[in-house]
Amino acid sequence: MTLEEALKRAAYKVWNELEPIPNDSRYHIYEVREEGLTTMSIKELVRANCPDIEKILMIPPKEEKIKGYDFELAIGSPSKGRFIRLFIQAKTLKGKKINSKYEEIDFPQATTLSDFSKSERSLGMYAFFNHLTENTPTLQNHYNSMTPFDKESLGITIASAYSIRMLRSRIFSDYHFNCGLTMSPKMFTWRYFSHLFYFHKSTKGHLAVPFHELSYFTVEIAEMINRAFRIIKRRGRANFFFFFLPGIEELFEDDDEIIPILKINVEGLIKEFNYRIEVPKNDTYKPQALIIINTDNY
């Protein structure tokens, strides 16, 4: 099974688990919490038996209720010892419509996650868990992918913590609406991914993408984005704002890269993951799981 198929399988699991069951006099069913959905989706990744998934580790069940981000995901090259690491906090959509909200988004927490991730040369992200009952044309306007429309892939979508910090919205449509436009594959390679990792004040399009879009993301693409960022930045502020619309400068003004690339091997990723789950109980950041994706064959 390909990595794209494996990530879709995880999204399908969340979509199906969040499908509403009518309550009546006999049944009163509550939705699965984020912790349970995270575990279920990770189990689907295991069942996919995808050769590109290098490693999956989970913390003991007794630790699962510790506040913090839900899992971390590292994408990169074990042979070269280079990875992009995402610290991911999960939030479930409360409702089944495009104007429904992620009611548990905490904006100060998004700021803390964004700042902490930056200090660790990683990216703070949110995984949105969704099930929507809107019609197909409406959902197509909220499907930010170069792949054919597949509504169940909206079961898990991702957006940067920085976008949440800046947009300060809890509404599904604010992060997913694409104005009816699909992204051309010719533009996808760096414009689209850079759009995911920072926030534009002048447009709200493409802030969140389906989980499976990460199957196209590699260290080489991150390096290409970073090179373009440095070149444009050196050409001056006018060119910088033309290509990277207002909003990015508040996070990356003093940086030479948009996407941090870690020089680390698989053993190092595991060691740092174990450290974060062993630090004192009052620490905010304790992941439930580590997922390592190997893109050496791409």
mmCIF file of all heavy atoms in Angstrom, residues 61-106:
data_model
loop_
_atom_site.group_PDB
_atom_site.id
_atom_site.type_symbol
_atom_site.label_atom_id
_atom_site.label_comp_id
_atom_site.label_asym_id
_atom_site.label_seq_id
_atom_site.Cartn_x
_atom_site.Cartn_y
_atom_site.Cartn_z
ATOM 1 N N PRO A 61 -0.795 3.592 27.969
ATOM 2 C CA PRO A 61 -2.156 4.140 28.134
ATOM 3 C C PRO A 61 -2.313 5.047 29.349
ATOM 4 O O PRO A 61 -3.096 6.000 29.316
ATOM 5 C CB PRO A 61 -3.014 2.876 28.270
ATOM 6 C CG PRO A 61 -2.239 1.821 27.558
ATOM 7 C CD PRO A 61 -0.802 2.143 27.801
ATOM 8 N N LYS A 62 -1.584 4.784 30.450
ATOM 9 C CA LYS A 62 -1.737 5.590 31.662
ATOM 10 C C LYS A 62 -1.318 7.039 31.442
ATOM 11 O O LYS A 62 -1.680 7.915 32.218
ATOM 12 C CB LYS A 62 -0.926 4.991 32.806
ATOM 13 C CG LYS A 62 0.578 5.006 32.570
ATOM 14 C CD LYS A 62 1.318 4.377 33.733
ATOM 15 C CE LYS A 62 2.832 4.412 33.498
ATOM 16 N NZ LYS A 62 3.577 3.811 34.630
ATOM 17 N N GLU A 63 -0.542 7.318 30.384
ATOM 18 C CA GLU A 63 -0.062 8.668 30.126
ATOM 19 C C GLU A 63 -0.976 9.454 29.184
ATOM 20 O O GLU A 63 -0.752 10.627 28.944
ATOM 21 C CB GLU A 63 1.339 8.603 29.501
ATOM 22 C CG GLU A 63 2.381 7.923 30.364
ATOM 23 C CD GLU A 63 2.853 8.794 31.509
ATOM 24 O OE1 GLU A 63 2.477 9.974 31.542
ATOM 25 O OE2 GLU A 63 3.590 8.284 32.366
ATOM 26 N N GLU A 64 -2.014 8.822 28.609
ATOM 27 C CA GLU A 64 -2.736 9.411 27.492
ATOM 28 C C GLU A 64 -3.485 10.695 27.828
ATOM 29 O O GLU A 64 -3.827 11.457 26.945
ATOM 30 C CB GLU A 64 -3.704 8.389 26.888
ATOM 31 C CG GLU A 64 -2.974 7.332 26.067
ATOM 32 C CD GLU A 64 -3.929 6.385 25.366
ATOM 33 O OE1 GLU A 64 -5.161 6.539 25.548
ATOM 34 O OE2 GLU A 64 -3.458 5.501 24.654
ATOM 35 N N LYS A 65 -3.800 10.925 29.087
ATOM 36 C CA LYS A 65 -4.619 12.084 29.408
ATOM 37 C C LYS A 65 -3.794 13.318 29.746
ATOM 38 O O LYS A 65 -4.335 14.349 30.134
ATOM 39 C CB LYS A 65 -5.582 11.748 30.549
ATOM 40 C CG LYS A 65 -6.566 10.649 30.170
ATOM 41 C CD LYS A 65 -7.815 10.698 31.007
ATOM 42 C CE LYS A 65 -8.786 9.601 30.570
ATOM 43 N NZ LYS A 65 -9.444 9.919 29.298
ATOM 44 N N ILE A 66 -2.487 13.233 29.615
ATOM 45 C CA ILE A 66 -1.631 14.397 29.861
ATOM 46 C C ILE A 66 -1.888 15.449 28.789
ATOM 47 O O ILE A 66 -1.936 15.145 27.603
ATOM 48 C CB ILE A 66 -0.157 13.991 29.877
ATOM 49 C CG1 ILE A 66 0.094 13.041 31.063
ATOM 50 C CG2 ILE A 66 0.755 15.199 29.962
ATOM 51 C CD1 ILE A 66 1.458 12.424 31.075
ATOM 52 N N LYS A 67 -2.034 16.685 29.204
ATOM 53 C CA LYS A 67 -2.292 17.771 28.260
ATOM 54 C C LYS A 67 -1.099 17.988 27.345
ATOM 55 O O LYS A 67 0.034 17.951 27.773
ATOM 56 C CB LYS A 67 -2.592 19.054 29.037
ATOM 57 C CG LYS A 67 -2.929 20.248 28.153
ATOM 58 C CD LYS A 67 -3.202 21.463 29.002
ATOM 59 C CE LYS A 67 -3.507 22.667 28.148
ATOM 60 N NZ LYS A 67 -3.741 23.883 28.956
ATOM 61 N N GLY A 68 -1.373 18.253 26.070
ATOM 62 C CA GLY A 68 -0.285 18.534 25.144
ATOM 63 C C GLY A 68 -0.683 18.186 23.726
ATOM 64 O O GLY A 68 -1.850 17.948 23.453
ATOM 65 N N TYR A 69 0.272 18.177 22.813
ATOM 66 C CA TYR A 69 -0.062 17.798 21.451
ATOM 67 C C TYR A 69 -0.196 16.283 21.390
ATOM 68 O O TYR A 69 0.332 15.542 22.212
ATOM 69 C CB TYR A 69 0.971 18.336 20.459
ATOM 70 C CG TYR A 69 2.375 17.867 20.684
ATOM 71 C CD1 TYR A 69 2.818 16.669 20.160
ATOM 72 C CD2 TYR A 69 3.269 18.633 21.423
ATOM 73 C CE1 TYR A 69 4.112 16.238 20.355
ATOM 74 C CE2 TYR A 69 4.567 18.208 21.627
ATOM 75 C CZ TYR A 69 4.989 17.011 21.089
ATOM 76 O OH TYR A 69 6.270 16.595 21.295
ATOM 77 N N ASP A 70 -0.923 15.786 20.413
ATOM 78 C CA ASP A 70 -1.309 14.383 20.413
ATOM 79 C C ASP A 70 -0.278 13.453 19.790
ATOM 80 O O ASP A 70 -0.127 12.322 20.220
ATOM 81 C CB ASP A 70 -2.648 14.211 19.699
ATOM 82 C CG ASP A 70 -3.783 14.771 20.532
ATOM 83 O OD1 ASP A 70 -3.808 14.509 21.735
ATOM 84 O OD2 ASP A 70 -4.630 15.460 19.974
ATOM 85 N N PHE A 71 0.394 13.884 18.754
ATOM 86 C CA PHE A 71 1.422 13.011 18.183
ATOM 87 C C PHE A 71 2.404 13.851 17.389
ATOM 88 O O PHE A 71 2.141 14.995 17.041
ATOM 89 C CB PHE A 71 0.814 11.909 17.310
ATOM 90 C CG PHE A 71 0.035 12.374 16.108
ATOM 91 C CD1 PHE A 71 0.602 12.349 14.841
ATOM 92 C CD2 PHE A 71 -1.287 12.791 16.226
ATOM 93 C CE1 PHE A 71 -0.104 12.759 13.724
ATOM 94 C CE2 PHE A 71 -2.013 13.193 15.117
ATOM 95 C CZ PHE A 71 -1.426 13.176 13.863
ATOM 96 N N GLU A 72 3.574 13.271 17.171
ATOM 97 C CA GLU A 72 4.547 13.940 16.329
ATOM 98 C C GLU A 72 4.847 13.050 15.126
ATOM 99 O O GLU A 72 4.815 11.821 15.215
ATOM 100 C CB GLU A 72 5.803 14.319 17.084
ATOM 101 C CG GLU A 72 6.530 13.214 17.786
ATOM 102 C CD GLU A 72 7.656 13.760 18.672
ATOM 103 O OE1 GLU A 72 7.349 14.476 19.650
ATOM 104 O OE2 GLU A 72 8.820 13.465 18.384
ATOM 105 N N LEU A 73 5.101 13.701 14.013
ATOM 106 C CA LEU A 73 5.308 13.001 12.758
ATOM 107 C C LEU A 73 6.575 13.550 12.121
ATOM 108 O O LEU A 73 6.732 14.762 11.978
ATOM 109 C CB LEU A 73 4.090 13.202 11.855
ATOM 110 C CG LEU A 73 3.993 12.373 10.577
ATOM 111 C CD1 LEU A 73 2.524 12.139 10.220
ATOM 112 C CD2 LEU A 73 4.689 13.066 9.414
ATOM 113 N N ALA A 74 7.486 12.651 11.770
ATOM 114 C CA ALA A 74 8.750 13.049 11.148
ATOM 115 C C ALA A 74 8.791 12.486 9.728
ATOM 116 O O ALA A 74 8.592 11.283 9.520
ATOM 117 C CB ALA A 74 9.929 12.539 11.956
ATOM 118 N N ILE A 75 9.030 13.363 8.762
ATOM 119 C CA ILE A 75 9.071 12.981 7.354
ATOM 120 C C ILE A 75 10.476 13.238 6.834
ATOM 121 O O ILE A 75 10.994 14.349 6.966
ATOM 122 C CB ILE A 75 8.065 13.813 6.535
ATOM 123 C CG1 ILE A 75 6.652 13.671 7.095
ATOM 124 C CG2 ILE A 75 8.101 13.424 5.059
ATOM 125 C CD1 ILE A 75 5.664 14.648 6.480
ATOM 126 N N GLY A 76 11.102 12.217 6.229
ATOM 127 C CA GLY A 76 12.424 12.500 5.716
ATOM 128 C C GLY A 76 13.199 11.283 5.283
ATOM 129 O O GLY A 76 12.639 10.248 4.916
ATOM 130 N N SER A 77 14.504 11.410 5.364
ATOM 131 C CA SER A 77 15.429 10.432 4.812
ATOM 132 C C SER A 77 16.291 9.813 5.902
ATOM 133 O O SER A 77 17.221 10.457 6.399
ATOM 134 C CB SER A 77 16.325 11.106 3.763
ATOM 135 O OG SER A 77 17.373 10.245 3.378
ATOM 136 N N PRO A 78 16.027 8.569 6.288
ATOM 137 C CA PRO A 78 16.909 7.905 7.253
ATOM 138 C C PRO A 78 18.331 7.753 6.726
ATOM 139 O O PRO A 78 19.297 7.850 7.495
ATOM 140 C CB PRO A 78 16.244 6.531 7.443
ATOM 141 C CG PRO A 78 14.811 6.749 7.098
ATOM 142 C CD PRO A 78 14.826 7.762 5.986
ATOM 143 N N SER A 79 18.482 7.535 5.426
ATOM 144 C CA SER A 79 19.819 7.330 4.866
ATOM 145 C C SER A 79 20.655 8.597 4.916
ATOM 146 O O SER A 79 21.873 8.544 5.102
ATOM 147 C CB SER A 79 19.719 6.827 3.424
ATOM 148 O OG SER A 79 19.134 7.811 2.578
ATOM 149 N N LYS A 80 20.009 9.768 4.775
ATOM 150 C CA LYS A 80 20.716 11.044 4.810
ATOM 151 C C LYS A 80 20.683 11.697 6.188
ATOM 152 O O LYS A 80 21.370 12.687 6.423
ATOM 153 C CB LYS A 80 20.124 12.008 3.774
ATOM 154 C CG LYS A 80 20.263 11.537 2.332
ATOM 155 C CD LYS A 80 19.606 12.519 1.379
ATOM 156 C CE LYS A 80 19.715 12.043 -0.055
ATOM 157 N NZ LYS A 80 19.011 12.954 -0.994
ATOM 158 N N GLY A 81 19.851 11.172 7.088
ATOM 159 C CA GLY A 81 19.732 11.762 8.417
ATOM 160 C C GLY A 81 19.148 13.155 8.389
ATOM 161 O O GLY A 81 19.621 14.041 9.101
ATOM 162 N N ARG A 82 18.090 13.366 7.585
ATOM 163 C CA ARG A 82 17.441 14.678 7.473
ATOM 164 C C ARG A 82 15.930 14.494 7.533
ATOM 165 O O ARG A 82 15.357 13.692 6.775
ATOM 166 C CB ARG A 82 17.849 15.361 6.171
ATOM 167 C CG ARG A 82 19.327 15.735 6.144
ATOM 168 C CD ARG A 82 19.810 16.107 4.766
ATOM 169 N NE ARG A 82 19.252 17.375 4.308
ATOM 170 C CZ ARG A 82 19.682 18.574 4.700
ATOM 171 N NH1 ARG A 82 20.674 18.669 5.565
ATOM 172 N NH2 ARG A 82 19.157 19.681 4.221
ATOM 173 N N PHE A 83 15.282 15.244 8.444
ATOM 174 C CA PHE A 83 13.853 15.082 8.661
ATOM 175 C C PHE A 83 13.174 16.428 8.891
ATOM 176 O O PHE A 83 13.790 17.370 9.417
ATOM 177 C CB PHE A 83 13.587 14.204 9.888
ATOM 178 C CG PHE A 83 13.811 12.733 9.650
ATOM 179 C CD1 PHE A 83 15.060 12.166 9.870
ATOM 180 C CD2 PHE A 83 12.784 11.920 9.207
ATOM 181 C CE1 PHE A 83 15.288 10.827 9.654
ATOM 182 C CE2 PHE A 83 12.990 10.570 8.986
ATOM 183 C CZ PHE A 83 14.238 10.019 9.206
ATOM 184 N N ILE A 84 11.912 16.507 8.491
ATOM 185 C CA ILE A 84 11.013 17.591 8.898
ATOM 186 C C ILE A 84 10.101 16.999 9.964
ATOM 187 O O ILE A 84 9.483 15.951 9.749
ATOM 188 C CB ILE A 84 10.167 18.124 7.728
ATOM 189 C CG1 ILE A 84 11.071 18.664 6.614
ATOM 190 C CG2 ILE A 84 9.222 19.211 8.212
ATOM 191 C CD1 ILE A 84 11.156 17.745 5.435
ATOM 192 N N ARG A 85 10.016 17.653 11.120
ATOM 193 C CA ARG A 85 9.224 17.112 12.229
ATOM 194 C C ARG A 85 8.031 18.013 12.513
ATOM 195 O O ARG A 85 8.161 19.240 12.618
ATOM 196 C CB ARG A 85 10.093 16.971 13.478
ATOM 197 C CG ARG A 85 9.383 16.327 14.659
ATOM 198 C CD ARG A 85 10.361 15.982 15.776
ATOM 199 N NE ARG A 85 11.104 17.164 16.211
ATOM 200 C CZ ARG A 85 12.223 17.102 16.944
ATOM 201 N NH1 ARG A 85 12.733 15.931 17.295
ATOM 202 N NH2 ARG A 85 12.839 18.212 17.323
ATOM 203 N N LEU A 86 6.864 17.403 12.657
ATOM 204 C CA LEU A 86 5.624 18.114 12.959
ATOM 205 C C LEU A 86 5.153 17.727 14.356
ATOM 206 O O LEU A 86 5.047 16.542 14.677
ATOM 207 C CB LEU A 86 4.537 17.758 11.942
ATOM 208 C CG LEU A 86 4.910 17.739 10.461
ATOM 209 C CD1 LEU A 86 3.692 17.358 9.616
ATOM 210 C CD2 LEU A 86 5.455 19.084 10.017
ATOM 211 N N PHE A 87 4.852 18.735 15.186
ATOM 212 C CA PHE A 87 4.203 18.513 16.473
ATOM 213 C C PHE A 87 2.715 18.795 16.265
ATOM 214 O O PHE A 87 2.336 19.928 15.946
ATOM 215 C CB PHE A 87 4.754 19.457 17.545
ATOM 216 C CG PHE A 87 6.177 19.171 17.953
ATOM 217 C CD1 PHE A 87 6.929 20.139 18.600
ATOM 218 C CD2 PHE A 87 6.755 17.945 17.713
ATOM 219 C CE1 PHE A 87 8.236 19.875 18.997
ATOM 220 C CE2 PHE A 87 8.058 17.669 18.105
ATOM 221 C CZ PHE A 87 8.799 18.640 18.759
ATOM 222 N N ILE A 88 1.881 17.790 16.479
ATOM 223 C CA ILE A 88 0.488 17.867 16.015
ATOM 224 C C ILE A 88 -0.491 17.749 17.175
ATOM 225 O O ILE A 88 -0.448 16.798 17.963
ATOM 226 C CB ILE A 88 0.209 16.771 14.972
ATOM 227 C CG1 ILE A 88 1.188 16.914 13.789
ATOM 228 C CG2 ILE A 88 -1.234 16.857 14.483
ATOM 229 C CD1 ILE A 88 1.072 15.835 12.745
ATOM 230 N N GLN A 89 -1.401 18.725 17.252
ATOM 231 C CA GLN A 89 -2.490 18.747 18.222
ATOM 232 C C GLN A 89 -3.796 18.456 17.492
ATOM 233 O O GLN A 89 -4.080 19.064 16.463
ATOM 234 C CB GLN A 89 -2.568 20.116 18.894
ATOM 235 C CG GLN A 89 -3.796 20.347 19.751
ATOM 236 C CD GLN A 89 -3.729 19.605 21.063
ATOM 237 O OE1 GLN A 89 -2.815 19.809 21.839
ATOM 238 N NE2 GLN A 89 -4.686 18.742 21.318
ATOM 239 N N ALA A 90 -4.585 17.520 17.979
ATOM 240 C CA ALA A 90 -5.835 17.140 17.314
ATOM 241 C C ALA A 90 -7.028 17.865 17.924
ATOM 242 O O ALA A 90 -7.111 18.036 19.143
ATOM 243 C CB ALA A 90 -6.041 15.634 17.404
ATOM 244 N N LYS A 91 -7.969 18.269 17.058
ATOM 245 C CA LYS A 91 -9.222 18.883 17.488
ATOM 246 C C LYS A 91 -10.360 18.348 16.618
ATOM 247 O O LYS A 91 -10.229 18.243 15.397
ATOM 248 C CB LYS A 91 -9.159 20.413 17.356
ATOM 249 C CG LYS A 91 -8.128 21.090 18.250
ATOM 250 C CD LYS A 91 -8.442 20.902 19.727
ATOM 251 C CE LYS A 91 -7.384 21.562 20.609
ATOM 252 N NZ LYS A 91 -7.594 21.248 22.049
ATOM 253 N N THR A 92 -11.479 18.040 17.238
ATOM 254 C CA THR A 92 -12.633 17.476 16.536
ATOM 255 C C THR A 92 -13.653 18.558 16.223
ATOM 256 O O THR A 92 -13.956 19.414 17.066
ATOM 257 C CB THR A 92 -13.299 16.381 17.393
ATOM 258 O OG1 THR A 92 -12.345 15.356 17.663
ATOM 259 C CG2 THR A 92 -14.490 15.771 16.666
ATOM 260 N N LEU A 93 -14.191 18.514 15.013
ATOM 261 C CA LEU A 93 -15.244 19.436 14.613
ATOM 262 C C LEU A 93 -16.522 19.097 15.366
ATOM 263 O O LEU A 93 -16.986 17.947 15.341
ATOM 264 C CB LEU A 93 -15.479 19.323 13.104
ATOM 265 C CG LEU A 93 -16.445 20.336 12.480
ATOM 266 C CD1 LEU A 93 -15.870 21.746 12.548
ATOM 267 C CD2 LEU A 93 -16.745 19.963 11.026
ATOM 268 N N LYS A 94 -17.094 20.090 16.039
ATOM 269 C CA LYS A 94 -18.343 19.888 16.785
ATOM 270 C C LYS A 94 -19.511 20.295 15.885
ATOM 271 O O LYS A 94 -19.889 21.462 15.805
ATOM 272 C CB LYS A 94 -18.345 20.714 18.071
ATOM 273 C CG LYS A 94 -17.151 20.442 18.981
ATOM 274 C CD LYS A 94 -17.044 18.984 19.386
ATOM 275 C CE LYS A 94 -15.875 18.760 20.330
ATOM 276 N NZ LYS A 94 -15.691 17.329 20.668
ATOM 277 N N GLY A 95 -20.061 19.337 15.187
ATOM 278 C CA GLY A 95 -21.097 19.587 14.201
ATOM 279 C C GLY A 95 -20.672 18.986 12.874
ATOM 280 O O GLY A 95 -19.535 18.535 12.709
ATOM 281 N N LYS A 96 -21.579 19.003 11.916
ATOM 282 C CA LYS A 96 -21.329 18.325 10.638
ATOM 283 C C LYS A 96 -21.474 19.259 9.446
ATOM 284 O O LYS A 96 -21.620 18.801 8.308
ATOM 285 C CB LYS A 96 -22.311 17.148 10.494
ATOM 286 C CG LYS A 96 -22.375 16.223 11.697
ATOM 287 C CD LYS A 96 -21.043 15.585 12.027
ATOM 288 C CE LYS A 96 -21.127 14.712 13.267
ATOM 289 N NZ LYS A 96 -19.806 14.206 13.702
ATOM 290 N N LYS A 97 -21.429 20.559 9.673
ATOM 291 C CA LYS A 97 -21.618 21.539 8.601
ATOM 292 C C LYS A 97 -20.348 22.370 8.432
ATOM 293 O O LYS A 97 -19.502 22.426 9.325
ATOM 294 C CB LYS A 97 -22.802 22.458 8.912
ATOM 295 C CG LYS A 97 -24.138 21.722 9.092
ATOM 296 C CD LYS A 97 -24.594 21.075 7.796
ATOM 297 C CE LYS A 97 -25.950 20.421 7.962
ATOM 298 N NZ LYS A 97 -26.410 19.769 6.703
ATOM 299 N N ILE A 98 -20.241 23.041 7.292
ATOM 300 C CA ILE A 98 -19.034 23.826 7.042
ATOM 301 C C ILE A 98 -18.923 25.036 7.963
ATOM 302 O O ILE A 98 -17.833 25.594 8.121
ATOM 303 C CB ILE A 98 -18.942 24.273 5.571
ATOM 304 C CG1 ILE A 98 -20.141 25.158 5.197
ATOM 305 C CG2 ILE A 98 -18.839 23.066 4.647
ATOM 306 C CD1 ILE A 98 -19.999 25.831 3.848
ATOM 307 N N ASN A 99 -20.044 25.448 8.580
ATOM 308 C CA ASN A 99 -19.984 26.549 9.541
ATOM 309 C C ASN A 99 -19.886 26.047 10.979
ATOM 310 O O ASN A 99 -19.981 26.823 11.928
ATOM 311 C CB ASN A 99 -21.170 27.494 9.378
ATOM 312 C CG ASN A 99 -22.515 26.809 9.592
ATOM 313 O OD1 ASN A 99 -22.576 25.587 9.745
ATOM 314 N ND2 ASN A 99 -23.592 27.574 9.602
ATOM 315 N N SER A 100 -19.690 24.728 11.147
ATOM 316 C CA SER A 100 -19.477 24.172 12.482
ATOM 317 C C SER A 100 -18.084 24.568 12.988
ATOM 318 O O SER A 100 -17.230 25.006 12.213
ATOM 319 C CB SER A 100 -19.618 22.648 12.452
ATOM 320 O OG SER A 100 -20.936 22.268 12.092
ATOM 321 N N LYS A 101 -17.882 24.385 14.290
ATOM 322 C CA LYS A 101 -16.663 24.904 14.914
ATOM 323 C C LYS A 101 -15.825 23.817 15.593
ATOM 324 O O LYS A 101 -16.349 22.799 16.054
ATOM 325 C CB LYS A 101 -17.025 25.962 15.965
ATOM 326 C CG LYS A 101 -17.676 27.210 15.402
ATOM 327 C CD LYS A 101 -17.965 28.213 16.507
ATOM 328 C CE LYS A 101 -18.584 29.480 15.947
ATOM 329 N NZ LYS A 101 -18.856 30.478 17.012
ATOM 330 N N TYR A 102 -14.528 24.087 15.635
ATOM 331 C CA TYR A 102 -13.621 23.345 16.506
ATOM 332 C C TYR A 102 -13.651 24.068 17.845
ATOM 333 O O TYR A 102 -12.811 24.934 18.131
ATOM 334 C CB TYR A 102 -12.215 23.325 15.918
ATOM 335 C CG TYR A 102 -12.154 22.717 14.532
ATOM 336 C CD1 TYR A 102 -12.081 23.531 13.393
ATOM 337 C CD2 TYR A 102 -12.199 21.344 14.349
ATOM 338 C CE1 TYR A 102 -12.048 22.979 12.124
ATOM 339 C CE2 TYR A 102 -12.166 20.781 13.077
ATOM 340 C CZ TYR A 102 -12.099 21.604 11.972
ATOM 341 O OH TYR A 102 -12.065 21.059 10.715
ATOM 342 N N GLU A 103 -14.624 23.737 18.652
ATOM 343 C CA GLU A 103 -14.908 24.531 19.840
ATOM 344 C C GLU A 103 -13.778 24.506 20.863
ATOM 345 O O GLU A 103 -13.651 25.426 21.675
ATOM 346 C CB GLU A 103 -16.212 24.043 20.482
ATOM 347 C CG GLU A 103 -17.441 24.285 19.598
ATOM 348 C CD GLU A 103 -18.716 23.745 20.213
ATOM 349 O OE1 GLU A 103 -18.640 23.132 21.307
ATOM 350 O OE2 GLU A 103 -19.783 23.916 19.597
ATOM 351 N N GLU A 104 -12.951 23.478 20.833
ATOM 352 C CA GLU A 104 -11.909 23.342 21.851
ATOM 353 C C GLU A 104 -10.573 23.957 21.435
ATOM 354 O O GLU A 104 -9.579 23.816 22.156
ATOM 355 C CB GLU A 104 -11.737 21.868 22.218
ATOM 356 C CG GLU A 104 -12.986 21.290 22.883
ATOM 357 C CD GLU A 104 -12.812 19.833 23.273
ATOM 358 O OE1 GLU A 104 -11.735 19.271 22.988
ATOM 359 O OE2 GLU A 104 -13.750 19.266 23.850
ATOM 360 N N ILE A 105 -10.530 24.647 20.301
ATOM 361 C CA ILE A 105 -9.300 25.361 19.951
ATOM 362 C C ILE A 105 -9.036 26.434 20.996
ATOM 363 O O ILE A 105 -9.910 27.238 21.331
ATOM 364 C CB ILE A 105 -9.396 25.996 18.549
ATOM 365 C CG1 ILE A 105 -9.249 24.924 17.469
ATOM 366 C CG2 ILE A 105 -8.312 27.061 18.358
ATOM 367 C CD1 ILE A 105 -9.344 25.472 16.050
ATOM 368 N N ASP A 106 -7.833 26.428 21.523
ATOM 369 C CA ASP A 106 -7.386 27.405 22.507
ATOM 370 C C ASP A 106 -6.300 28.240 21.834
ATOM 371 O O ASP A 106 -5.215 27.739 21.544
ATOM 372 C CB ASP A 106 -6.843 26.664 23.732
ATOM 373 C CG ASP A 106 -6.383 27.590 24.842
ATOM 374 O OD1 ASP A 106 -5.738 28.613 24.538
ATOM 375 O OD2 ASP A 106 -6.647 27.289 26.017
#
